[in-house]
């Protein structure tokens, strides 16, 4: 997406960013710009490993990387960190490209792969061996782990550490040529086995792996590890600010060591807090388990926190970008309330979703004094938040469907909807008064009868009389049958990662996360609803058309119900703050 092609062609393109308070990363960039450290350049990258689908955590990183670069007229690359052939697949590459685009960001021509740099990385490894800074080790992975020491005790030097440069060059060449089996040797950096930072205790740079790579095929049988690939890839791409999550903080000295030893362009690594959300897991490994073990119907199951899942559920890219701007970044990991994400979702959907009427659990309502064959087209407002959205007509007739929940034969106190003798407003229709009910053999109400007041067309009350409730409805003869899928949180516990001994996170799955309601009655305008279209079903929530829809038989996902718990929390906090402010002067006066 290039919103303005005539603008400086070099500038990264990102949708207009929601304003967010400044943060430490922006401050670092500003100070680097002021000191001229990178000659006025800001260049970031988003570096996913193509071993799964992107999730909401990645959205935070994407918004941050693309957003910051765009703010300073800089560039952002999309780079696949594809150094582990065993777990990576083209399907993931394709999905990641789709998802970053959907979120609204554009890397223009700067799509890169770490595998593009395998030859250069190999040559740099040879350079370090030649400089006496790397050696081939014959220890197994297990032996290396044991020799690494602990936080309180130093590591042990490998017996192969002091091989000559010639021997190391020869062995590394033979590793590359495929002479040795998997795991039999590694290339290690020669740094310091007594370093207080475990990452500097001769970390492994290359391992032998006879596995086909999704892009380089069988060309390579040695693969660089993350630590040897990432910083050098950043350097090759002239990334100035390499923004990553906090778990890489202890890797930063190693990141710096490699680029310094190689004498190449030196990007600056900056760490921020990972997004974690209540009732949600954000780890590709765990999400893969959910998919592989059939707990969900795929990566794009609308209950999944993947970008493809939330897209199918009906989330908008704008809502995600606003949320990411609102949470900001920090230097300590914490957990964000899922309700806050849903608040930003509702705020956005409220502006853009057309209102329609749909009855999920239908109950027949017969208006006895309405003519049998009469049909009136009632005018309904499409979106009260958007004047340009206009109006549509909804057919009204003698037999309607209303929500089972909107009728009680024996209403409790506080129940103001329809009940015998009570008058309610049918939205955009008429005022009706319930006269009697029809029951089946087991005593269930299967039909509600009522009379209407012809003077109340459109739901108006010319005499100014009050009714306590307005309910939605759909004309039975005109209704479109549809399926609606209602979702609850995928996990029943706030922290799905916390489990009892002997259990895993799937023990926390919510058995009621999906409810399929199959015989819903929808207003006729929904017969034409296209896949992905978003609506507000009046009084029920926001819904989005699922790809499983067939012509004339739409399937809807409930994106989110209407009730906004986060707004309530915020309001309470604000009122408490206000009360506190009002109280304090008095306190001072005392
Ligand atoms: P996971 O733990 O889910 O497998 P990862 O960090 O291994 O995630 P990558 O594909 O390596 O996944 O991530 C690409 C980028 O997205 C990295 O810069 C990473 O730091 C960032 N990222 C991943 N998860 C989160 C998260 N929860 N919050 C913020 N950024 C994240
Ligand atoms: Mg990773």
């Amino acid at each position: 997406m290039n919103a303005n092609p005539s603008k400086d062609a070099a500038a990264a393109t990102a949708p207009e960013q929601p304003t967010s308070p400044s943060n430490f990363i922006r401050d670092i960039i500003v100070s680097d710009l002021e000191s001229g450290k990178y000659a006025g350049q800001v260049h970031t990258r988003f570096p996913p490993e193509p071993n799964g689908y992107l999730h909401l955590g990645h959205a935070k990183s994407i918004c941050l990387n693309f957003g910051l670069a765009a703010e300073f007229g800089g560039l952002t690359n999309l780079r696949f960190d594809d150094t582990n052939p065993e777990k990576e697949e083209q399907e993931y590459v394709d999905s990641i490209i789709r998802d970053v685009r959907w979120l609204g960001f554009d890397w223009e021509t700067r799509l890169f792969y770490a595998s593009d740099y395998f030859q250069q990385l190999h040559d740099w490894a040879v350079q370090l061996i030649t400089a006496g800074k790397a050696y081939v080790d014959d220890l197994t992975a297990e032996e290396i782990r044991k020799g690494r020491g602990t936080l309180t005790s130093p590591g042990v030097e490998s017996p192969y550490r002091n091989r000559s440069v010639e021997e190391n060059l020869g062995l590394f060449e033979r590793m590359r040529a495929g002479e040795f089996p998997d795991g039999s040797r590694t290339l290690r950096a020669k740094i310091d086995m007594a370093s207080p930072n475990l990452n500097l205790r001769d970390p492994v740079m290359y391992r032998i792996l006879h596995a086909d790579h999704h892009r380089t095929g069988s060309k390579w049988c040695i693969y660089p590890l993350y630590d040897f690939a990432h910083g050098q890839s950043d350097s090759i791409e002239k990334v100035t600010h390499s923004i990553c999550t906090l778990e890489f903080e202890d890797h930063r000295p190693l990141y710096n060591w490699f680029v310094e030893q190689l004498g190449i362009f030196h990007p600056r690594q900056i760490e921020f807090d990972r997004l974690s959300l209540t009732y949600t897991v954000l780890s590709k490994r765990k999400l893969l388990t959910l998919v592989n073990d059939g707990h969900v119907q795929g990566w794009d199951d609308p209950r999944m926190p993947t970008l493809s899942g939330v897209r199918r559920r009906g989330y908008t890219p704008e809502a995600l970008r606003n949320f990411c701007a609102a949470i900001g970044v920090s230097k300590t990991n914490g957990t964000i309330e899922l309700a806050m994400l849903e608040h930003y979702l509702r705020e956005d959907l409220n502006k853009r979703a057309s209102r329609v009427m749909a009855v999920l659990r239908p109950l027949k309502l017969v208006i006895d004094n309405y003519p049998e064959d009469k049909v009136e087209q009632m005018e309904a407002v499409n979106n009260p938040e958007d004047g340009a959205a206009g109006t549509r007509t909804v057919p009204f007739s003698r037999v309607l469907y209303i929500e089972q929940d909107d009728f009680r034969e024996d209403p409790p106190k506080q129940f103001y909807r329809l009940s015998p003798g009570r008058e309610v407003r049918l939205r955009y229709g008429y005022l009706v008064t319930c006269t009697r009910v029809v029951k089946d053999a087991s005593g269930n109400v299967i039909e509600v009868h009522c009379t209407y007041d012809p003077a109340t067309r459109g739901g108006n009350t010319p005499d100014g009389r009050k009714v306590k409730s307005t309910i939605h409805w759909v004309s039975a003869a005109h209704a479109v049958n549809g399926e609606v899928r209602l979702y609850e949180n995928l996990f029943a516990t706030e922290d799905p990662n916390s489990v009892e001994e002997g259990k895993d996170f799937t023990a926390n799955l919510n058995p009621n996360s999906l409810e399929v309601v199959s015989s819903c009655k929808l207003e006729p305008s929904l017969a034409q609803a296209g896949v992905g279209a978003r609506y507000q079903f009046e009084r029920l929530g926001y819904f989005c058309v699922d790809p499983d829809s067939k012509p004339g038989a739409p399937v809807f996902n409930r994106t989110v119900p209407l009730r906004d718990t986060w707004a309530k929390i915020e309001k309470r906090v604000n009122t408490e703050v206000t009360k506190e402010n009002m109280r304090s002067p008095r306190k001072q006066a005392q």
Side-chain angles (χ1 to χ4, degrees), residues 356-401:
V356 290
M357 291 198 282
V359 174
L360 302 196
R361 293 180 173 86
L363 172 64
K364 213 172 241 183
L365 181 87
V366 183
I367 308 170
D368 291 320
N369 61 338
Y370 195 87
E372 291 254 355
D373 301 328
K374 187 170 175 181
V375 177
E376 283 180 87
Q377 298 296 334
M378 310 306 265
E379 186 172 43
V381 175
N382 286 332
N383 187 350
E385 302 292 320
D386 175 7
T391 60
R392 70 189 184 288
T393 56
V394 187
F396 186 92
S397 67
R398 184 170 188 268
V399 182
L400 310 175
Y401 289 113

Side-chain angles (χ1 to χ4, degrees), residues 47-49 51 58 81 226 247-248 274 284:
E49 183 181 352
N51 61 351
H58 294 114
D81 214 337
Y226 172 89
E247 70 273 20
F248 292 102
R274 287 180 88 79
K284 279 186 281 188

Side-chain angles (χ1 to χ4, degrees), residues 45-51 54-62 65 81 96 226 230 243-245 247-248 272-276 282-285 287:
R45 85 286 172 265
F46 173 63
E49 183 181 352
N51 61 351
L54 296 182
H55 53 61
L56 295 167
H58 294 114
K60 172 172 175 176
S61 175
I62 295 168
N65 276 293
D81 214 337
I96 290 169
Y226 172 89
H230 199 84
I243 306 170
C244 61
T245 35
E247 70 273 20
F248 292 102
F272 69 95
D273 58 322
R274 287 180 88 79
L275 172 65
S276 99
L282 293 179
S283 139
K284 279 186 281 188
R285 189 176 53 76
L287 297 177

